């Protein structure tokens, strides 16, 4: 990877919070993110992207911003539904941070898990949160099976050994701008992550956990997401072939050991 960071940064990290009909959870999400970043001592900005919510989400965010003027929080309201992956890429262009991370607006990540993730900012180019799928609260057996199968397929095709691909990694914002995903559905995080590993990005895998609030309402098996996963796996296969043909010129990713492991009780070891 590039030794320098060519993007000017006014804060250490930009957090984009996705929001689509999250009125019950959106303010808790923002609050937990801010508290975690204050705990780790990072300067930050928060960009909330509302993807045409049909509930009271926008008003909830506006009220929070008004009552917390001391924080750098912006609300972006889409005029049409763009989808999570599109919003992820677009918000990277709006950010001012050196690092970049997506937090879903459903308050699915425990505060102590966020602290553990943010503590590792700067250890490597990428901080990868890894969840034990059998311990995620509220996750149905079907969703566990889908997650495990997806991780298995991505590792087999890409040649890497990442524990979990659908966690929201911390990236250098420049890398998201430069190597943003070409797939825009369920597999977009695996797309950008493996692409950066192909480019030799260093990474650290850290423990994470949370609550799956989608449960049986998951959209993982919709035709759109099935096509997206197929697109992602095809891209990975093509890249793997490219690596085999040009292996002498491709850098190898460097994995750093995790420094801190968080527990559900908030302890560290």
């Amino acid at each position: 990877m590039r030794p320098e960071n060519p993007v000017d940064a006014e804060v250490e990290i930009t957090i984009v919070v996705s929001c689509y009909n999250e009125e019950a959870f959106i303010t808790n999400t923002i609050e937990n993110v801010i508290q975690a970043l204050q705990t780790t001592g990072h300067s930050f900005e928060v960009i909330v992207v509302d993807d045409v919510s049909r509930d009271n989400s926008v008003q909830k965010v506006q009220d929070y911003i008004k009552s917390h003027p001391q924080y750098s929080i912006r609300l972006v309201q889409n005029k049409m539904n763009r989808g999570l992956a599109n919003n992820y890429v677009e918000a990277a262009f709006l950010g001012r941070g050196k690092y970049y991370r997506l937090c879903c607006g459903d308050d699915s990540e425990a505060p102590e898990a966020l602290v553990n993730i943010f503590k590792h900012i700067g250890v490597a180019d990428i901080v990868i949160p890894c969840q034990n799928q059998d311990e995620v609260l509220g996750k149905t057996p079907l969703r566990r099976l889908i997650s495990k199968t997806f991780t298995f397929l991505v590792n087999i095709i890409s040649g890497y050994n990442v524990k979990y691909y659908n966690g929201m990694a911390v990236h250098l914002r420049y890398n998201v701008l430069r190597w943003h995903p070409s797939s825009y559905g369920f597999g977009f995080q695996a797309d950008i992550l493996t692409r950066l590993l192909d480019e030799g990005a260093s990474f650290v895998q850290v423990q994470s956990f949370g609550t799956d609030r989608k449960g049986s309402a998951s959209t993982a098996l919709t035709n759109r997401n099935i096509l997206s996963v197929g697109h992602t796996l095809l891209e990975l296969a093509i890249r793997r072939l490219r690596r085999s043909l040009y292996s002498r010129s491709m850098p190898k990713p460097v994995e750093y050991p995790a420094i801190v492991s968080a527990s559900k009780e908030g302890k560290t070891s």
Side-chain angles (χ1 to χ4, degrees), residues 137-144 146 212-222:
L137 298 177
K139 198 156 197 172
T140 65
L142 177 60
R143 282 181 59 79
R144 291 192 185 103
I146 292 171
D212 188 338
R213 303 191 187 280
K214 294 180 180 178
S216 59
S218 168
T219 60
L221 289 179
T222 62

Side-chain angles (χ1 to χ4, degrees), residues 5-251:
N5 185 55
V7 175
D8 292 333
E10 299 177 31
V11 292
E12 291 178 89
I13 185 167
T14 296
I15 300 290
V16 56
V17 177
S18 62
C19 181
Y20 179 67
N21 296 335
E22 304 289 4
E23 66 174 337
F25 308 110
I26 189 64
T27 54
N28 283 343
T29 300
I30 299 171
E31 190 73 30
N32 287 339
V33 167
I34 290 176
Q35 288 182 0
L37 287 166
Q38 289 180 323
T39 298
T40 57
H42 292 92
S43 60
F44 64 89
E45 65 173 346
V46 176
I47 301 174
V48 182
V49 179
D50 183 78
D51 211 12
V52 197
S53 294
R54 292 169 292 182
D55 61 4
N56 201 35
S57 295
V58 168
Q59 187 62 53
K60 290 278 188 178
V61 176
Q62 290 174 334
D63 290 344
Y64 188 89
I65 293 174
K66 184 176 180 180
S67 61
H68 296 82
Q70 70 273 32
Y71 301 137
S72 177
I73 308 173
R74 283 183 283 169
L75 172 62
V76 176
Q77 293 179 252
N78 289 344
K79 295 182 179 180
M80 60 180 293
N81 186 277
R82 301 292 307 278
L84 184 60
N86 271 299
N87 291 333
Y88 175 77
V89 174
E90 291 298 324
F93 286 88
L94 301 177
R96 300 175 294 125
K98 178 178 180 180
Y99 293 93
Y100 184 71
R101 197 208 186 224
L102 168 66
C103 291
C104 294
D106 60 356
D107 192 27
S108 59
E109 294 178 289
E112 56 269 29
L114 288 171
V115 169
N116 192 42
I117 293 166
F118 296 149
K119 277 184 177 179
H120 289 81
I121 291 174
V123 172
D125 297 322
I126 311 170
V127 180
I128 305 174
C130 300
Q131 295 183 351
N132 182 335
Q133 295 304 291
D134 293 327
E135 296 182 357
V136 178
L137 298 177
K139 198 156 197 172
T140 65
L142 177 60
R143 282 181 59 79
R144 291 192 185 103
L145 178 61
I146 292 171
S147 293
K148 291 178 180 178
T149 301
F150 181 70
T151 299
F152 172 78
L153 290 174
V154 172
N155 280 330
I156 287 293
I157 296 174
S158 69
Y160 296 117
N161 187 27
V162 173
K163 297 176 183 177
Y164 186 58
Y165 282 98
N166 280 335
M168 303 305 172
V170 178
H171 293 286
L172 287 162
R173 187 168 62 88
Y174 168 78
N175 287 345
V176 178
L177 299 177
R178 177 64 180 85
W179 305 108
H180 59 78
S182 58
S183 57
Y184 286 86
F186 184 81
F188 83 96
Q189 283 289 325
D191 187 347
I192 185 174
L193 181 54
T194 54
R195 179 62 181 271
L196 290 172
L197 295 182
D198 288 347
E199 296 298 326
S202 61
F203 66 100
V204 59
Q205 301 188 76
V206 301
Q207 182 182 354
S208 181
F209 45 86
T211 301
D212 188 338
R213 303 191 187 280
K214 294 180 180 178
S216 59
S218 168
T219 60
L221 289 179
T222 62
N223 290 335
R224 179 178 179 180
N225 277 331
I226 291 173
L227 288 172
S228 170
V229 168
H231 180 199
T232 298
L233 297 180
L234 178 60
E235 286 282 337
L236 298 185
I238 293 172
R239 291 180 199 158
R240 182 76 180 272
L241 177 61
R242 183 187 69 172
R243 294 210 314 270
S244 68
L245 294 175
Y246 302 101
S247 57
R248 291 185 179 180
S249 61
M250 294 298 292

